[in-house]
Amino acid sequence: MEEELIGLEEKELFACCGSTQFAKEMASASPFPCLDGAVSAARHIWFNLVDVNGWLQAFSAHPQIGQSPSSHPKTDPTFAQLKILALPTATAIAYSIILFFIDLCRWSKGEQSTALATATDSTLQELFDWNARYRNKFGFVFLICASGRTSAEILAELKKRYPNRPIVEFEIAAQEQMKITELRLEKLFSAKPKAALTGYK
Amino acid sequence: MEEELIGLEEKELFACCGSTQFAKEMASASPFPCLDGAVSAARHIWFNLVDVNGWLQAFSAHPQIGQSPSSHPKTDPTFAQLKILALPTATAIAYSIILFFIDLCRWSKGEQSTALATATDSTLQELFDWNARYRNKFGFVFLICASGRTSAEILAELKKRYPNRPIVEFEIAAQEQMKITELRLEKLFSAKPKAALTGYK
């Protein structure tokens, strides 16, 4: 009996979670019979096989909203970040936060606008300030699966997590990254035409 | 009433624990009234203030015994490592392991020779092989406070820790690093002449 399997390529897996090791291991495990199978493999790979350098690599793939638009980034800025750096400061702050939310939410279903629709100028500024503090303390960007959350809820969560020890926050960020990855895998599966293959590889 | 305080400099603190942030924060907290005060400050700084990048920096300051002497190091090798790379393979393996133990133990009191005195050729080879596996899985060198332990005990501990999830092992390695740092602080204090200062800074 033939079973329909969904093949995922390394490049699109890297877009779901920016760790080279994650993308390679997932591509090796591909194709998958269903979304649940892919998510289960992703969780195993992310939490058991990807090392802490891989976690940091994936975190650094997100837009750096904790970074002041006028400061020099530690690594080469992306094209989108370069565009932000050229804007007036206030506009740049708002734009970088919007870019961040779009990045976190762009793969989710119809929930992209919750944080943006609820954001006020003062909330955006406070989010920017707290993100800078967070990045300064922990060494990586604040990560949260923003889908369906208001900007006030995100800000409250950031303040709540800020006092954590670095190792505790590191693991929470990894759990949030996994939620984001799951949403992206779901979106990827829903967009894929099912290819009838002759069996598991 | 005057109290005797011990001042520690950033450079010697960095030799105790190779994290720039740790050395800076400890130097800021210096001088200390006693060893216990310094250890207490060190524990607070290491576990609460130094971020995960700082932990990785400190881990990478130890000799890389998991690395094959014939392979190309990711970062520039130290002078000692260059010397190892130039040796015949078998000698190089033994030498790199000895260098590792010396590094872990060199600050402790009269316990430097336990691991070395108990090491057989086969134990050394197995330690080298398991260290390479460990480093390949976790992305950093196997860390253990080797003071007073035989090489067989160290090997057994390595094998026991190897199945851990990367985040779990990361925290264990940080705890071992702290034990090593404590031994080094103790050695540093015992070698320091007490300077009579007029009070806390």
Side-chain angles (χ1 to χ4, degrees):
Chain A
M1 176 186 159
E2 288 191 358
E3 184 161 7
E4 288 187 341
L5 296 175
I6 302 287
L8 300 176
E9 290 176 16
E10 198 171 317
K11 190 178 169 187
E12 55 196 358
L13 288 160
F14 188 77
C16 291
C17 174
S19 147
T20 312
Q21 196 184 351
F22 173 84
K24 278 188 197 297
E25 297 275 2
M26 278 293 284
S28 295
S30 173
F32 300 100
C34 58
L35 173 64
D36 285 352
V39 165
S40 175
R43 292 187 66 84
H44 171 70
I45 289 166
W46 178 247
F47 289 115
N48 295 284
L49 305 185
V50 175
D51 68 24
V52 292
N53 297 297
W55 281 12
L56 289 169
Q57 184 195 10
F59 296 172
S60 71
H62 294 281
Q64 313 292 304
I65 74 166
Q67 192 170 56
S68 164
S70 61
S71 69
H72 296 287
K74 281 183 188 171
T75 53
D76 291 339
T78 61
F79 178 69
Q81 286 171 324
L82 279 174
K83 285 204 301 187
I84 293 172
L85 296 175
L87 293 170
T89 306
T91 315
I93 292 173
Y95 186 53
S96 74
I97 292 171
I98 289 166
L99 186 74
F100 180 72
F101 286 147
I102 288 172
D103 180 76
L104 290 189
C105 306
R106 66 183 165 182
W107 298 80
S108 64
K109 285 181 181 169
E111 291 174 336
Q112 292 91 331
S113 58
T114 312
L116 290 178
T118 56
T120 63
D121 282 356
S122 63
T123 313
L124 284 177
Q125 180 63 51
E126 212 178 344
L127 260 174
F128 180 79
D129 294 343
W130 273 91
N131 262 287
R133 288 184 64 181
Y134 180 98
R135 188 173 168 74
N136 189 48
K137 175 175 178 183
F138 296 107
F140 49 82
V141 70
F142 173 68
L143 272 190
I144 186 166
C145 186
S147 180
R149 301 199 204 201
T150 68
S151 56
E153 285 169 350
I154 291 168
L155 181 59
E157 192 64 17
L158 204 173
K159 289 180 181 174
K160 186 179 150 197
R161 281 166 49 180
Y162 182 79
N164 284 338
R165 286 197 302 127
I167 185 65
V168 171
E169 191 53 29
F170 191 46
E171 189 158 16
I172 292 174
Q175 286 160 351
E176 291 298 312
Q177 172 65 61
M178 191 62 230
K179 291 180 198 167
I180 294 165
T181 304
E182 287 182 26
L183 286 177
R184 290 176 177 180
L185 283 173
E186 189 181 338
K187 185 72 178 174
L188 209 56
F189 263 77
S190 69
K192 280 258 174 184
K194 280 207 165 188
L197 301 179
T198 52
Y200 297 97
K201 45 177 278 190
Chain B
M1 176 186 160
E2 287 191 359
E3 182 160 8
E4 287 187 343
L5 296 175
I6 302 287
L8 301 176
E9 290 176 17
E10 199 171 314
K11 190 178 168 186
E12 55 195 359
L13 287 160
F14 188 77
C16 291
C17 173
S19 148
T20 313
Q21 195 184 351
F22 173 84
K24 279 188 194 300
E25 297 276 1
M26 278 293 284
S28 296
S30 172
F32 301 99
C34 58
L35 173 64
D36 284 352
V39 166
S40 175
R43 292 187 65 84
H44 172 70
I45 289 166
W46 178 246
F47 290 116
N48 295 282
L49 304 184
V50 175
D51 69 22
V52 291
N53 297 297
W55 281 12
L56 288 170
Q57 185 196 8
F59 297 171
S60 72
H62 295 282
Q64 312 292 305
I65 72 163
Q67 193 170 54
S68 165
S70 60
S71 69
H72 295 287
K74 282 183 187 170
T75 54
D76 290 338
T78 62
F79 179 68
Q81 286 171 322
L82 279 174
K83 285 206 299 187
I84 292 171
L85 296 176
L87 293 171
T89 306
T91 316
I93 291 174
Y95 186 52
S96 73
I97 293 171
I98 289 166
L99 187 74
F100 179 74
F101 286 145
I102 288 172
D103 179 76
L104 291 188
C105 304
R106 65 184 168 183
W107 298 80
S108 65
K109 284 180 181 170
E111 292 175 335
Q112 292 92 330
S113 57
T114 310
L116 289 178
T118 56
T120 62
D121 281 356
S122 62
T123 313
L124 285 177
Q125 180 62 52
E126 211 180 346
L127 260 174
F128 180 78
D129 294 342
W130 273 91
N131 262 287
R133 287 183 65 180
Y134 180 97
R135 188 173 167 74
N136 189 47
K137 175 176 178 182
F138 296 108
F140 49 83
V141 72
F142 174 68
L143 273 190
I144 187 164
C145 185
S147 181
R149 301 199 204 201
T150 67
S151 57
E153 285 169 349
I154 291 168
L155 181 59
E157 192 64 17
L158 204 174
K159 290 180 183 176
K160 186 178 151 198
R161 280 165 52 180
Y162 182 79
N164 283 338
R165 287 199 301 128
I167 184 67
V168 171
E169 190 54 29
F170 191 44
E171 189 158 16
I172 292 173
Q175 287 160 353
E176 292 298 312
Q177 171 64 62
M178 190 62 230
K179 290 180 198 166
I180 294 165
T181 304
E182 287 181 28
L183 286 178
R184 292 177 177 180
L185 283 172
E186 190 181 337
K187 185 75 179 171
L188 207 58
F189 263 76
S190 70
K192 280 256 171 185
K194 279 206 166 190
L197 300 179
T198 52
Y200 296 99
K201 43 180 283 191

